[in-house]
Amino acid sequence: MTGFAWNIMDLKERAFSPSEYADKKELRRFMREKRSLQDPRAMQLKNQRIAERFISIPEFADVSSIALYASLSDESQTYAIASYCLQMGKSIAFPCIEEKDIVFRQVKDREKELRLQGSFGIREPDKDLCPIVPIEEIDLFVIPGVVFDIFGSRIGFGGGYYDRALAQKRSDALSVALAFEFQVVHAIQSEPHDQLVDMIVTDATVYAPRQSIHLCNSEKDTQTFAKRLFMKGLREQEIIALHADLGVGKTVFVQGLADALGANDDVISPTFMYSREYQSNPPLTHMDAYRLDNLADVSDPFWTELLDHRGILAIEWAERLGSRLPKSAIHCFGEIIDDQTRQWTLFTAINEHNQLNEI
């Protein structure tokens, strides 16, 4: 019996109810206002961190042709990145709006060639000096946006220009967004034509959503899957969000994790007491959020205290917590394939968790 792959949008809706998604227009307005109100000195430091993270991703070293955007004053800045790319001998291109679509043109001298005020008041390459670069020749696209989520979804300025452009790129070409950390939320509404980005580089971290499928033919296999996650690099302060119906094996998963951590006590479901803590190295806290939806109106300090933990925290029925989970949470989605077989789909949002998908 073989498993099946979940669409990334389906995983999003399983982890975060669409009822939590903010209205797209309102979210765009809110984020643009928040971005414009940043302290200039703080924004300068954030931009420096974003640029340093971007040029440090391994994929940057491997590409020769990069498409950048001409940043507005309150956006994550690209001009320092452009200068560094030219110093490294990489070819760079900037977009123009031509006949309602994006055309990328090569820029060799930013000061001389990127000086015209184009569409929407954004600088564009001089068409007389800058030749067109076919989309299929670009290795990496640096993407602007107003809002992003941990699954790689994006809300732009509303014209759909980048969605149409990215739909034409090579399958091996990367799309990397630059954003301030507050621009990344848990989940936003997506449409079928929306193009996901491969990475989001912020001043706090690098988001690189990944998923992997793991078939377990017995309870022992499910426990082994959990053990391998720990062996592959689970660390202190990690949160594992378990999404699965009754009978899939959420508690069996936690039993395997407890065994890997060296817990001496037997692991049982904490349904009637919210959570149990096991003495292990690092400590393991096992939470059941099934009844926590009745506490939706409780103040934020309550949730902060509840999710503040030592060691590793595993949460059954984690979808009940929704966006109260940290954006870095590791999500495991369980399904019954047949009487014996269970499928676990592992989803990780941040780059430093990617190795967990390699077990």
Side-chain angles (χ1 to χ4, degrees), residues 13 31 41 44 60 92 114 118 124-125 128 133 148 167 203 273 276-277 282 285-286 292 316 340 347:
E13 292 188 4
M31 284 296 184
R41 292 167 298 181
Q44 183 179 8
F60 175 77
I92 62 172
L114 194 67
E124 292 186 350
D128 295 328
V133 180
F148 303 89
D203 47 287
M273 55 187 304
R276 295 176 183 271
E277 184 171 320
T285 301
H286 182 196
L292 294 185
E316 298 189 23
Q340 299 296 322
F347 173 82

Side-chain angles (χ1 to χ4, degrees), residues 285-336:
T285 301
H286 182 196
M287 180 187 295
D288 189 319
Y290 186 80
R291 293 187 296 133
L292 294 185
D293 58 339
N294 296 324
L295 302 177
D297 295 329
V298 174
S299 63
D300 286 340
F302 171 84
W303 296 108
T304 301
E305 183 177 348
L306 193 64
L307 293 175
D308 187 21
H309 63 287
R310 300 179 304 135
I312 294 172
L313 172 60
I315 307 174
E316 298 189 23
W317 304 102
E319 59 275 9
R320 302 297 179 96
L321 292 176
S323 58
R324 296 183 184 91
L325 291 169
K327 290 181 287 186
S328 61
I330 299 158
H331 295 265
C332 289
F333 302 87
E335 294 294 327
I336 297 176

Side-chain angles (χ1 to χ4, degrees), residues 68-88:
L68 297 162
Y69 62 89
S71 49
L72 298 171
S73 60
D74 63 349
E75 282 186 300
S76 179
Q77 297 296 293
T78 59
Y79 297 127
I81 292 174
S83 297
Y84 183 77
C85 288
L86 292 174
Q87 291 174 15
M88 296 294 293

